[in-house]
Amino acid sequence: MLVTSPVMVGRGTELALLETGLAAARQGEGQAVFLLGEAGIGKSRLATECAFRAFSSGTAVLRGRAGTTLPFRPIAEALLSHFRFAGPPTDAKLAPYRTALGSLLPEWRVAEQAAAPSPVETAEAVLRLLAAVGEQPAGQQAGCLLLVEDLHNADAETLTVLEYLCDNIRGLPVFLLATLRPEAGPAGDLARAAERRRSAVLTELRPLAAEDVRAMAEFALAAGTGLLPEPVAEQLVRDAGGNPFVVEELLSSMIAAEVLRRGADGWQVCGDLGINVPNTVMRSVAERAARLGPGGQMLLKTAAVFGRRFPLPVIQSVTGLTGRELLVQLRASIDAQLISPSGPVGDWYEFRHALTADALRAELLPPERAAIATRTADAIGQAHPGLPGEWCLRVAELRLTAGDTRSAALRYAQAGTEALGSGAVDSAVQLLDRAHDLLADPAWGADRSDVVEQLVNALIERGQLDRALLLAENIPEAGPGRLDTARTAALHTRLAWAAVNVLRNEEAAAQLRYVRRLLGDGAAHTPALDVVEAHLVLTGAEPAAGEPAAADRAVEAERLARRAADGAERAGLAEVACQAWQFLALLERRHGFGRADACLERGLALATEHRLITWQVSLLIRLGTNDFMRSGTVHRLERAHRAALGLGSLVLMHTAEATMAMQAVLRGEYAAARQLTDRCIEATARMGDADIHQYVLLTRAALAAHQGRRREMEEELAEFHRWDGEHSLQLPLVFGSRAVCALLEEDRAAALDELDRALGWEEANPTVFYFNGRYGLRPLLRALSGRADPAEHRAAAADPAARLPWNRQFEQLAYAVHQGRAGRTTAALEAVAQARAASEHFPMAHHLGLRLVAEAALADGWGDPVDWLRTAEQYFHGAAVPAVANACRELLRRAGATVRQRRGGSAKVPAELRWQGLTAREYEVFLLLVPRMGNQEIAQRLYISPRTVEKHVASLLAKTGRPNRAALCDYAAETTRHVVGRGSATQPA
């Protein structure tokens, strides 16, 4: 008989903490709590109580338990516990995360998808999913409880997800609760680190106090207050150590030994209560198992060797029990409260407590454990050929228990390789490290080198380049552990490419030279090696052989990249070919964007042919970027963005959104730019994607700069520098943003100085940015300052980049300045017309150009500077850029033109309505026509007379040309939707 207490005692503080967490989640204020405690102390009981309270209050409960190092196992189990019956989530906002969630929810898996998402991508996807689960359809929040038990057994990827959730659930309707034991390990380190960061609460369950042990025993025996025999209470307080599980086991042992009996007057002591602790727990479990007979004992011992959770088919195969016998013993074991079903459906069961499995294993002699482990591993191999999924890892553990070290190591290596292929890099490193450590026997040198090869690949993916380099150096160059030449070259080429990606060019060059020596002069070129060398040559880290260091690096890099692309195609290396064509496209921009697009189209054709989905979307994004640079239109990039959303690759999605945001800035669509950057700024920071995050920060800096908001711009640039911006190849964008901001402050000298700095940086470093003023804005400012002559302008205009619309609008204005100064008015006006055509999609730049060229036209007596200045003044007044608007008015006065008076509040009126002559007060009336208010209602709202409202409505009818009030109301509604929808550039975003 196993007695248990139906009431939880002594945990009032902990229950209050959990109740607070649930309440906070229902209010949209996410929290994380870690329950730390030894086995049997009551962690699972508290977790179960929390889950019950959450369910009773309408909070969604997602519950999983860690038990293997299979990547994301507890997270997947938790999600499936919620979605198994309800089906996959349908929230449209989760569409970008389908691929990452597909690795956890089978219903969302697709046949064609990108490479496996990184743990951080998966963590972001889980975060979004939990937020959607916690928010009800009507927008109200019922909250969501994510419960993960036995976190000390969790895999590295699960720990990554939970750490990510701890740092990011604040402000979301999510309560994270995890239980773990206090022993040292990654889970404990995570919990303590989260507590130090104040990202989580860590509470350790202490042993029950004496009065709580007494109360628990009374509830368990249904004795009623004061009826528990005092000797029993004293024995429990002295021997149980305040551990609830041990209290129950001690009581059960006393009853089983008949030293504690229930009579007519309640419970009576009938013998010696002295029970040896902690052996009593083991003896209690063993006695209950023994009562089940040989068949039951065999089932339980086999299951205990397998682990806390076990599958019935495998246990049946090992024990040889018939189906009927198995069910009989299974029911008896459940009745003895030793095991219970693991989940609502399926053939998996689990021991009710970890100490139960420990006790059963302890009863086995080492040879018995080894024999059961061997038979179990063999049975799994027969039932699951190839050992897919977690079976491989389970067999590795069983082989190790059986003492077959080499077989265990090979299975750990297999599991690690599979984890690496699925994107679970952290688990891959752990598993391959385990295999590496086990293969210590010199006779297993060949196996050890195979493992090292895979471990190096995993470490590269994990970003641990130093350790990867060290391990690669330790692979023997002769003897049983030697890799063949092709594998060695491929491994060191990967190391070189990894070094290039983190800008460790000297180490990349060293790896490059090693592979050259290994392959010999006659075969020193492979496509993958050429791609690496092309990058190194472009950055100056590896000058071409036989050429001086000052040779044109771009020319040599282009030659190498083209050879890599051609060679990869001949060798059938589609991924390397895509890599080469994409890099070549950047270099070909120097000759024109048509040639660059041809490279991208070739790579896209290969990616499509070989079903390289990630590369298809990546190349589409770059084609869309080029299309914008050539035409100013965004349609192709928007299609690429939709493809990234459909694919579910967060990295590609953020790349597309960051690019679209920068384009929105240039197009003057500031509200859209803000929305896009807001969408991905936190996600890219959380994911640690430095390159994209830097670009988002620079885009936000440009957004502020293009509106003349220096303080905001400098704040974003400061954050960019905190993200190691000084070493970024995107650094020229800093100078470009500051130049634009200086122009909007009417500080032309500072703007030119920033553009000179950008030019200096680009002369000394490779760059793929063409909108930093070199081919447009800088020539215009130099022409206006008189520092440039027509010859200098012709040199800048001859570059293909000068024909890009963003640059051409300024380049043609610079040409107009030179022509007007020379007295060639017709040519100057034609250049202005060309500039205005090029600036079609760039309203802020268009009006800034008019303001700049008008000053030169006034001085040199050509063109229509008054009209240009009026147009620019109107724009910058509405855009709240007073320095430029005031400069335009001053130039108009200097030209003898009348200057329009500006009344307060007119900046609120959208540009298209200001052009129709609407005043600020009329605009207020106009807005109140949207809900079709009557004159009396409008008068009350604006504190004016109905007669005044009538006059304003009459004026609005005349100015807008509407035939009647109904048509005016329709026009007001239409105009308001249009302004809100496009994020009017006339107002600060």
Side-chain angles (χ1 to χ4, degrees), residues 1-4 221 236 245-258 260 275 280 284 287-288 291 337:
M1 173 184 179
L2 177 66
V3 294
T4 61
L221 296 176
L236 293 176
F245 178 78
V246 177
V247 169
E248 292 176 344
E249 289 291 337
L250 284 173
L251 281 173
S252 299
S253 297
M254 291 175 183
I255 295 170
E258 297 189 343
L260 180 63
I275 295 175
T280 180
S284 173
E287 289 174 352
R288 275 183 278 154
R291 295 190 196 104
Q337 297 189 1

Short mmCIF file of all heavy atoms in Angstrom, two decimals, residues 1-4 221 236 245-258 260 275 280 284 287-288 291 337:
data_model
loop_
_atom_site.label_atom_id
_atom_site.label_comp_id
_atom_site.label_asym_id
_atom_site.label_seq_id
_atom_site.Cartn_x
_atom_site.Cartn_y
_atom_site.Cartn_z
N MET A 1 0.85 -1.20 0.00
CA MET A 1 0.00 0.00 0.00
C MET A 1 0.88 1.24 0.00
O MET A 1 1.79 1.36 0.81
CB MET A 1 -0.89 0.01 1.25
CG MET A 1 -1.69 1.30 1.43
SD MET A 1 -2.62 1.26 2.98
CE MET A 1 -3.38 2.88 2.91
N LEU A 2 0.66 2.13 -0.95
CA LEU A 2 1.37 3.41 -0.99
C LEU A 2 0.40 4.50 -0.56
O LEU A 2 -0.66 4.67 -1.16
CB LEU A 2 1.89 3.72 -2.39
CG LEU A 2 2.58 5.08 -2.54
CD1 LEU A 2 3.87 5.11 -1.72
CD2 LEU A 2 2.89 5.37 -4.00
N VAL A 3 0.75 5.21 0.50
CA VAL A 3 -0.12 6.27 0.97
C VAL A 3 0.41 7.60 0.47
O VAL A 3 1.61 7.84 0.42
CB VAL A 3 -0.19 6.27 2.53
CG1 VAL A 3 -0.87 5.01 3.02
CG2 VAL A 3 1.19 6.41 3.14
N THR A 4 -0.50 8.47 0.09
CA THR A 4 -0.12 9.80 -0.39
C THR A 4 -1.04 10.82 0.24
O THR A 4 -2.19 10.54 0.59
CB THR A 4 -0.25 9.90 -1.93
OG1 THR A 4 -1.61 9.66 -2.30
CG2 THR A 4 0.65 8.90 -2.62
N LEU A 221 -2.76 9.68 5.97
CA LEU A 221 -3.41 8.57 6.68
C LEU A 221 -4.88 8.84 6.95
O LEU A 221 -5.56 7.98 7.53
CB LEU A 221 -2.68 8.31 8.00
CG LEU A 221 -1.22 7.84 7.89
CD1 LEU A 221 -0.60 7.73 9.28
CD2 LEU A 221 -1.13 6.51 7.15
N LEU A 236 9.03 10.20 11.56
CA LEU A 236 8.99 10.84 10.23
C LEU A 236 9.80 12.13 10.23
O LEU A 236 10.55 12.40 9.28
CB LEU A 236 7.54 11.12 9.83
CG LEU A 236 6.65 9.90 9.56
CD1 LEU A 236 5.22 10.34 9.27
CD2 LEU A 236 7.20 9.08 8.40
N PHE A 245 8.40 12.90 -0.56
CA PHE A 245 8.38 11.55 -1.14
C PHE A 245 8.85 10.53 -0.12
O PHE A 245 8.25 9.45 0.02
CB PHE A 245 9.29 11.52 -2.38
CG PHE A 245 9.39 10.17 -3.02
CD1 PHE A 245 8.37 9.70 -3.83
CD2 PHE A 245 10.49 9.36 -2.82
CE1 PHE A 245 8.45 8.45 -4.43
CE2 PHE A 245 10.59 8.11 -3.41
CZ PHE A 245 9.55 7.65 -4.22
N VAL A 246 9.88 10.86 0.65
CA VAL A 246 10.39 9.93 1.66
C VAL A 246 9.37 9.76 2.78
O VAL A 246 9.20 8.66 3.33
CB VAL A 246 11.75 10.41 2.20
CG1 VAL A 246 12.25 9.48 3.31
CG2 VAL A 246 12.76 10.47 1.07
N VAL A 247 8.65 10.84 3.14
CA VAL A 247 7.59 10.73 4.15
C VAL A 247 6.57 9.68 3.73
O VAL A 247 6.19 8.78 4.52
CB VAL A 247 6.91 12.09 4.36
CG1 VAL A 247 5.64 11.93 5.21
CG2 VAL A 247 7.86 13.07 5.03
N GLU A 248 6.12 9.75 2.49
CA GLU A 248 5.12 8.80 2.00
C GLU A 248 5.68 7.38 1.96
O GLU A 248 5.00 6.41 2.30
CB GLU A 248 4.63 9.24 0.63
CG GLU A 248 3.82 10.53 0.67
CD GLU A 248 3.42 11.02 -0.71
OE1 GLU A 248 4.02 10.55 -1.70
OE2 GLU A 248 2.52 11.87 -0.80
N GLU A 249 6.94 7.24 1.53
CA GLU A 249 7.55 5.92 1.45
C GLU A 249 7.74 5.32 2.85
O GLU A 249 7.55 4.12 3.06
CB GLU A 249 8.88 6.00 0.71
CG GLU A 249 8.75 6.25 -0.78
CD GLU A 249 8.15 5.05 -1.50
OE1 GLU A 249 8.23 3.92 -0.99
OE2 GLU A 249 7.61 5.25 -2.62
N LEU A 250 8.12 6.15 3.82
CA LEU A 250 8.29 5.66 5.18
C LEU A 250 6.96 5.18 5.75
O LEU A 250 6.87 4.11 6.38
CB LEU A 250 8.87 6.76 6.06
CG LEU A 250 10.38 7.04 5.91
CD1 LEU A 250 10.77 8.26 6.71
CD2 LEU A 250 11.20 5.83 6.33
N LEU A 251 5.91 5.97 5.52
CA LEU A 251 4.59 5.56 5.97
C LEU A 251 4.17 4.25 5.32
O LEU A 251 3.63 3.34 5.98
CB LEU A 251 3.57 6.65 5.68
CG LEU A 251 3.53 7.85 6.63
CD1 LEU A 251 2.58 8.91 6.09
CD2 LEU A 251 3.10 7.42 8.03
N SER A 252 4.41 4.15 4.03
CA SER A 252 4.04 2.92 3.32
C SER A 252 4.81 1.73 3.86
O SER A 252 4.26 0.62 4.01
CB SER A 252 4.33 3.09 1.82
OG SER A 252 3.58 4.16 1.29
N SER A 253 6.10 1.93 4.18
CA SER A 253 6.90 0.83 4.72
C SER A 253 6.43 0.42 6.10
O SER A 253 6.40 -0.78 6.44
CB SER A 253 8.37 1.26 4.78
OG SER A 253 8.87 1.52 3.49
N MET A 254 6.06 1.38 6.93
CA MET A 254 5.54 1.06 8.26
C MET A 254 4.27 0.22 8.16
O MET A 254 4.07 -0.76 8.90
CB MET A 254 5.25 2.34 9.03
CG MET A 254 6.47 3.13 9.42
SD MET A 254 6.00 4.71 10.22
CE MET A 254 7.61 5.46 10.46
N ILE A 255 3.39 0.60 7.25
CA ILE A 255 2.14 -0.13 7.08
C ILE A 255 2.40 -1.51 6.50
O ILE A 255 1.81 -2.52 6.94
CB ILE A 255 1.18 0.68 6.20
CG1 ILE A 255 0.78 1.98 6.90
CG2 ILE A 255 -0.06 -0.14 5.85
CD1 ILE A 255 0.02 2.95 6.01
N ALA A 256 3.31 -1.57 5.48
CA ALA A 256 3.62 -2.87 4.88
C ALA A 256 4.24 -3.82 5.89
O ALA A 256 4.00 -5.04 5.87
CB ALA A 256 4.56 -2.67 3.70
N ALA A 257 5.05 -3.30 6.81
CA ALA A 257 5.69 -4.13 7.85
C ALA A 257 4.76 -4.40 9.01
O ALA A 257 5.14 -5.10 9.97
CB ALA A 257 6.97 -3.45 8.34
N GLU A 258 3.55 -3.84 8.98
CA GLU A 258 2.51 -4.01 10.00
C GLU A 258 2.95 -3.52 11.37
O GLU A 258 2.48 -4.02 12.41
CB GLU A 258 2.05 -5.47 10.07
CG GLU A 258 1.41 -5.95 8.77
CD GLU A 258 0.77 -7.32 8.92
OE1 GLU A 258 1.09 -8.03 9.90
OE2 GLU A 258 -0.05 -7.67 8.05
N LEU A 260 2.55 -0.34 11.85
CA LEU A 260 1.57 0.74 11.96
C LEU A 260 0.26 0.19 11.40
O LEU A 260 0.18 -0.15 10.21
CB LEU A 260 2.03 1.98 11.20
CG LEU A 260 1.08 3.18 11.25
CD1 LEU A 260 0.93 3.69 12.69
CD2 LEU A 260 1.61 4.31 10.35
N ILE A 275 13.28 2.14 10.94
CA ILE A 275 13.45 1.73 9.54
C ILE A 275 14.71 2.41 9.02
O ILE A 275 14.91 3.61 9.22
CB ILE A 275 12.23 2.13 8.69
CG1 ILE A 275 11.00 1.36 9.17
CG2 ILE A 275 12.48 1.87 7.22
CD1 ILE A 275 9.73 1.76 8.48
N THR A 280 15.18 2.57 3.07
CA THR A 280 13.75 2.28 3.13
C THR A 280 13.05 2.59 1.80
O THR A 280 12.13 1.88 1.40
CB THR A 280 13.09 3.10 4.25
OG1 THR A 280 11.70 2.79 4.27
CG2 THR A 280 13.24 4.58 4.01
N SER A 284 11.17 -0.21 -0.17
CA SER A 284 9.74 -0.08 -0.42
C SER A 284 9.41 -0.33 -1.89
O SER A 284 8.46 -1.05 -2.22
CB SER A 284 9.27 1.31 0.00
OG SER A 284 7.93 1.52 -0.38
N GLU A 287 9.95 -4.06 -2.68
CA GLU A 287 8.89 -4.91 -2.14
C GLU A 287 7.63 -4.81 -2.98
O GLU A 287 6.95 -5.81 -3.25
CB GLU A 287 8.61 -4.53 -0.68
CG GLU A 287 9.72 -4.93 0.27
CD GLU A 287 9.49 -4.42 1.68
OE1 GLU A 287 8.52 -3.63 1.86
OE2 GLU A 287 10.27 -4.77 2.58
N ARG A 288 7.29 -3.59 -3.40
CA ARG A 288 6.10 -3.45 -4.25
C ARG A 288 6.30 -4.13 -5.59
O ARG A 288 5.37 -4.72 -6.14
CB ARG A 288 5.78 -1.97 -4.45
CG ARG A 288 4.93 -1.39 -3.32
CD ARG A 288 4.58 0.05 -3.60
NE ARG A 288 5.66 0.95 -3.23
CZ ARG A 288 5.86 2.14 -3.76
NH1 ARG A 288 5.06 2.57 -4.71
NH2 ARG A 288 6.84 2.89 -3.36
N ARG A 291 5.92 -8.00 -5.24
CA ARG A 291 4.56 -8.50 -5.14
C ARG A 291 3.93 -8.75 -6.50
O ARG A 291 2.91 -9.43 -6.62
CB ARG A 291 3.69 -7.50 -4.36
CG ARG A 291 4.10 -7.33 -2.91
CD ARG A 291 3.06 -6.53 -2.14
NE ARG A 291 3.60 -6.04 -0.87
CZ ARG A 291 3.96 -4.79 -0.65
NH1 ARG A 291 3.83 -3.88 -1.60
NH2 ARG A 291 4.45 -4.44 0.52
N GLN A 337 1.17 1.92 -8.04
CA GLN A 337 1.61 3.33 -8.09
C GLN A 337 3.12 3.44 -8.34
O GLN A 337 3.80 4.30 -7.80
CB GLN A 337 1.21 4.06 -6.81
CG GLN A 337 -0.28 4.14 -6.62
CD GLN A 337 -0.70 5.04 -5.48
OE1 GLN A 337 0.12 5.64 -4.80
NE2 GLN A 337 -2.01 5.15 -5.27
#
